[in-house]
Amino acid sequence: KQWYQRRVRGIVAEHAETEKKKFKMYTDGEGHFKGDAKVCYFRRESIAIAIQMLNGVKLSGGNTKVKVEPAKFELKGEFDPKLKPKKRNNIKKKKKNRQENLLDWRERAGGGELKDKHAKIVILHNCFDPKEFLEDACQITEIRDDIREECEKLGPTKKVIIFDRHPQGVVSVKFGTYEAADEAVKLFQGRWFGGKQIAAALWDGVTDYAIEETEGEREARLASWHKFIEDGGERENAV
């Protein structure tokens, strides 16, 4: 059971009343494990992923291979609806809503309004010129700290990311609240920072601003950094 739980893929369903994971290991009359188990997933799509990832995998410390396949259920005898136990619909409904929230990309903001979770992330353009970091990589930390200091005046600031290779000088800021993110857009939009005018907007939840470094760029960056170290870590414009 522990072996499977460490490798389980997807969200396992829970019992409405006990909130325990629907993971069952079959035993014989004496309580010994028979070698079969059943896992109930919250999403049907997780079954195919589990089969792909775990079927044929060897158990730790042995040569036994695990066989994973969709469960097959057969009705024993005739179905009698009168014998079906009554379910607590309210408990099941609340449980289902809670599990669905785990997979939802929205949450409730102040006033109960549903908002996309990525609406807490603000994207700032034109905060820097990537070429500046080739001359002095320490500026990355300075820019991040300066922006964080301003953002923390608006509310809890969870993360500030400098996309140091992006030609548009992009910085992303993740806030703890929607209200702080909205205020940040108002604060930074059109504001001047380091001689550049910033453009601010909420993240669309799709665009990836990370840019992979080419081999040539990597060599140029390392050469610039080595020169910076050899010069004693002093900037050209230091006084």
Side-chain angles (χ1 to χ4, degrees), residues 138-177:
C138 294
Q139 289 192 41
I140 296 178
T141 302
E142 293 178 2
I143 291 175
R144 183 177 63 243
D145 292 345
D146 288 343
I147 293 177
R148 176 180 287 276
E149 182 178 353
E150 290 297 311
C151 290
E152 288 180 341
K153 297 177 182 178
L154 304 174
T157 304
K158 293 189 173 182
K159 184 181 295 185
V160 178
I161 300 177
I162 307 293
F163 295 95
D164 56 292
R165 288 189 289 275
H166 200 287
Q168 297 179 10
V170 175
V171 177
S172 75
V173 184
K174 183 177 181 180
F175 289 91
T177 65

Side-chain angles (χ1 to χ4, degrees), residues 29-49:
E30 298 180 357
H32 301 297
F33 180 48
K34 296 170 60 177
D36 298 325
K38 179 183 70 176
V39 180
C40 293
Y41 285 100
F42 182 62
R43 292 289 188 184
R44 181 183 295 271
E45 295 82 357
S46 298
I47 298 176
I49 298 176

Side-chain angles (χ1 to χ4, degrees), residues 3-229:
W3 179 90
Y4 190 88
Q5 289 178 332
R6 289 196 301 267
R7 294 163 176 80
V8 69
R9 299 295 186 270
I11 299 178
V12 177
E14 298 177 352
H15 290 280
E17 298 180 14
T18 64
E19 295 190 356
K20 292 183 178 180
K21 300 292 185 182
K22 289 187 176 181
F23 189 105
K24 180 178 181 180
M25 299 180 68
Y26 293 96
T27 57
D28 57 22
E30 298 180 357
H32 301 297
F33 180 48
K34 296 170 60 177
D36 298 325
K38 179 183 70 176
V39 180
C40 293
Y41 285 100
F42 182 62
R43 292 289 188 184
R44 181 183 295 271
E45 295 82 357
S46 298
I47 298 176
I49 298 176
I51 293 175
Q52 180 181 359
M53 300 295 294
L54 300 176
N55 189 42
V57 174
K58 291 184 179 180
L59 288 172
S60 301
N63 295 320
T64 303
K65 292 185 178 181
V66 177
K67 181 179 180 181
V68 183
E69 61 182 358
K72 299 177 182 179
F73 299 96
E74 297 180 357
L75 179 63
K76 297 181 180 179
E78 296 182 0
F79 176 70
D80 186 351
K82 296 181 181 180
L83 299 178
K84 187 176 181 181
K86 294 182 179 180
K87 297 181 179 179
R88 300 180 181 179
N89 293 329
N90 290 336
I91 296 178
K92 292 195 67 177
K93 185 176 181 180
K94 291 180 181 179
K95 185 69 175 180
K96 182 179 180 182
N97 290 339
R98 188 172 69 85
Q99 290 180 327
E100 287 180 345
N101 286 336
L102 294 174
L103 303 178
D104 199 353
W105 59 87
R106 304 172 301 168
E107 61 185 16
R108 295 195 180 276
E113 179 187 0
L114 274 175
K115 281 193 172 186
D116 293 335
K117 292 180 180 179
H118 60 70
K120 291 182 181 179
I121 301 176
V122 175
I123 300 298
L124 306 177
H125 286 80
N126 204 31
C127 293
F128 57 85
D129 183 343
K131 296 179 181 178
E132 298 173 356
F133 300 145
L134 292 176
E135 301 174 358
D136 183 3
C138 294
Q139 289 192 41
I140 296 178
T141 302
E142 293 178 2
I143 291 175
R144 183 177 63 243
D145 292 345
D146 288 343
I147 293 177
R148 176 180 287 276
E149 182 178 353
E150 290 297 311
C151 290
E152 288 180 341
K153 297 177 182 178
L154 304 174
T157 304
K158 293 189 173 182
K159 184 181 295 185
V160 178
I161 300 177
I162 307 293
F163 295 95
D164 56 292
R165 288 189 289 275
H166 200 287
Q168 297 179 10
V170 175
V171 177
S172 75
V173 184
K174 183 177 181 180
F175 289 91
T177 65
Y178 294 106
E179 293 76 14
D182 292 337
E183 289 299 318
V185 173
K186 298 177 184 178
L187 174 66
F188 286 101
Q189 175 60 27
R191 182 174 177 177
W192 291 87
F193 180 78
K196 303 176 182 62
Q197 192 171 25
I198 297 176
L202 296 176
W203 183 41
D204 57 15
V206 178
T207 306
D208 183 2
Y209 295 98
I211 295 179
E212 293 294 332
E213 187 178 38
T214 65
E215 186 63 29
E217 291 172 337
R218 179 177 179 276
E219 293 178 358
R221 174 176 59 80
L222 292 177
S224 176
W225 177 249
H226 290 157
K227 183 178 184 303
F228 179 74
I229 296 300

